[in-house]
Each structure stands twice: as structure tokens, then as C-alpha cells.
Amino acid sequence: LDDEVGRSGGPGRNQHGNQQWSHERCLPAKSRGYTFPMTPLVPDTADDREPELSQRADRRWGPFAATVLGGWLLLLGFVAGLGALLTGPLADSDLLQWDRQHPVDLEQVRTATGETWSRIGSGMGDTLTVIGIAIAVGVVLLIARRWTSVVLLATALLVEVTVFVSTTMLIARDRPEVEQLDVSPPTSSFPSGHTAAATTLALSLAVLVGWNTRSTPLRWFAWTVAVLAGPAVAYSRVYRGMHHPTDVMVGLALGIACVAVAFLAVRTWLGPRPDFKYIRTSTAVEEKKR
């Protein structure tokens, strides 16, 4: 932060010509020792920090796009590479024999209660469910002018759906040879799109809750749901005969990775990290003067 910004207490310009804010705007309300506003992802007692993230964003779209594209290419290469191994050299391995047999074993122990709960679990990853929740949350965030949250949510979901669709076009894998309890989508069995989408949405929402609320119980609840949502959808999809276990495992990993790519991209979009050592020192001096 330059001296002009520190003296004025309002918005100024850094050496790159981008808008930055005074140290008072970069710190939580109680001016406690703090590192970087986006680092904490788990619940704590800090005040909500999303408004200050959006206010100080440099909106560096070039590096942001480069981060997203690089992450997208890495994910597509990794997921498609795994798919090629599973449908090629590893097709007759012990792992893949278990992978094909597990849905058959589950079919033999299905119950009415299990089918009901698995229908609910599978529904959590339906396209309409994910899109509906994302649009509703996005509208609320736009009204509240929480730009950083909107960028993270949109980026994570966009990366997920494009990597998933691209992989299904490259990798052709049949669904399990069992009775399928859901209508089979016109895509390959690999990877599980339901699992990937549900995991991406749930984890993204947990991050947003951590940025936008002060309630520690609510933050813990959001992260608990985020941790459980992906595995619940994954098990439900295998139980209902829609996927092999390896399909949902890769889908789960894809969802986690998409949120990580979006998080890194948003940090790039926000611009350079503020000098918090300078900020804490200046704040302490001002408090002594008062």
C-alpha cells in the first residue's frame, strides 16, 4: 500500500495503477493480527471478510484466465488419462474386476428403504438441482454485491461441467450391467457427473458461507454438509446401478480439484497480497496516538 492510501484512509492507486484501499479497510473490524483474508477456509471467530475482498480486488482478468485455463487443461489431462487407463491397459486387472462386480453385489442386497434414500442422494447431484441452487445463490450474491463469491462459484461450476463433458467425449465406458434405477444419461459412465457437480457445489458453498457469515455453528454446518454430500451422492449412484466405484471416485476428486482451481484463480483475480506487516504496525501506532 502506498503512503497516499495510508494517509487518506480511502481508495488510492498502487504502482500498477490499480485501486487499493487503506489498511483500515483490509483488516477485520476489530483490527486483530491477521494474515491473508482468503486463507482461512474453516470456521473461526473472525468477522465476515467477503466485502473487503470484493472492494480491494484488482480484477486482473488476464492472470485469472491463465490460471483457469491452466487448471482446466491439467484436470482434463489427468481425468481423461485415468479414463484411458481404466478402459485400456487396466481393463482386465483385479481392480477393474472388483469395479465391475461391486454394482452386481449391491443389486442383490437392494431394499425399498435403500432405494428411497439412494433416490434422494442421487437427486442431490441432478443437473436441475445443481443449476437451481447455483442460480438462486448467485442472484442473492449479485444483489449483495459480493463479486468475489460470485466469481468463485461460477468458475468452479464452469470448470467442472466443461471438464466432465470433454472427458465423456474422449472416454467411452459402458454403465454397469445391472438394473439401473434411474434414467441413463446419454453420456459415458466415466466419470460420475452427479458426484462431481454435487461435490463442487457443496464445497463452493461452504467456502462462501465462511466468507459471508459470522456464525461459527453455521460455518461448521456448511463444511459438514460439504464433506458428506459428495460421498453420499457417490454411493447412491453406485447403489442405483448408474456407475462403477471408480467412476464416482474420480468424480469426487474432480469436484474437489475444480474448487481448488477456482480458489487459486480468484486469488489471482484479487491482485497482489497486501503488506500486512506494514498494516499491523501502522494500526498499532495509530491506536497508541489515540
Side-chain angles (χ1 to χ4, degrees), residues 56-217:
R56 75 173 184 82
D58 278 353
R59 293 170 175 78
R60 305 192 308 164
W61 291 110
F64 170 83
T67 303
V68 173
L69 179 59
W72 187 88
L73 290 173
L74 286 174
L75 288 180
L76 178 60
F78 179 73
V79 175
L82 283 178
L85 286 174
L86 294 177
T87 57
L90 298 180
D92 296 325
S93 65
D94 292 340
L95 172 64
L96 270 296
Q97 291 179 13
W98 167 83
D99 197 43
R100 289 188 290 267
Q101 182 62 32
H102 189 66
V104 177
D105 295 338
L106 279 180
E107 182 185 30
Q108 297 174 357
V109 296
R110 287 175 182 170
T111 63
T113 302
E115 292 182 11
T116 299
W117 282 106
S118 66
R119 184 185 306 113
I120 297 173
S122 180
M124 292 166 56
D126 283 346
T127 301
L128 292 179
T129 301
V130 173
I131 292 177
I133 294 176
I135 291 177
V137 173
V139 169
V140 172
L141 293 172
L142 286 173
I143 294 175
R145 301 173 65 86
R146 304 298 174 92
W147 314 124
T148 305
S149 295
V150 173
V151 171
L152 179 109
L153 179 62
T155 302
L157 290 174
L158 182 62
V159 171
E160 182 276 322
V161 69
T162 52
V163 171
F164 163 70
V165 172
S166 299
T167 302
T168 59
M169 295 175 64
L170 296 173
I171 304 300
R173 189 182 195 189
D174 294 333
R175 297 187 182 274
E177 296 180 357
V178 298
E179 179 188 1
Q180 297 168 2
L181 301 181
D182 291 331
V183 177
S184 180
T187 55
S188 169
S189 178
F190 180 89
S192 171
H194 279 66
T195 305
T199 302
T200 301
L201 179 64
L203 288 176
S204 297
L205 293 180
V207 174
L208 302 190
V209 168
W211 286 353
N212 290 280
T213 64
R214 303 181 183 184
S215 171
T216 298

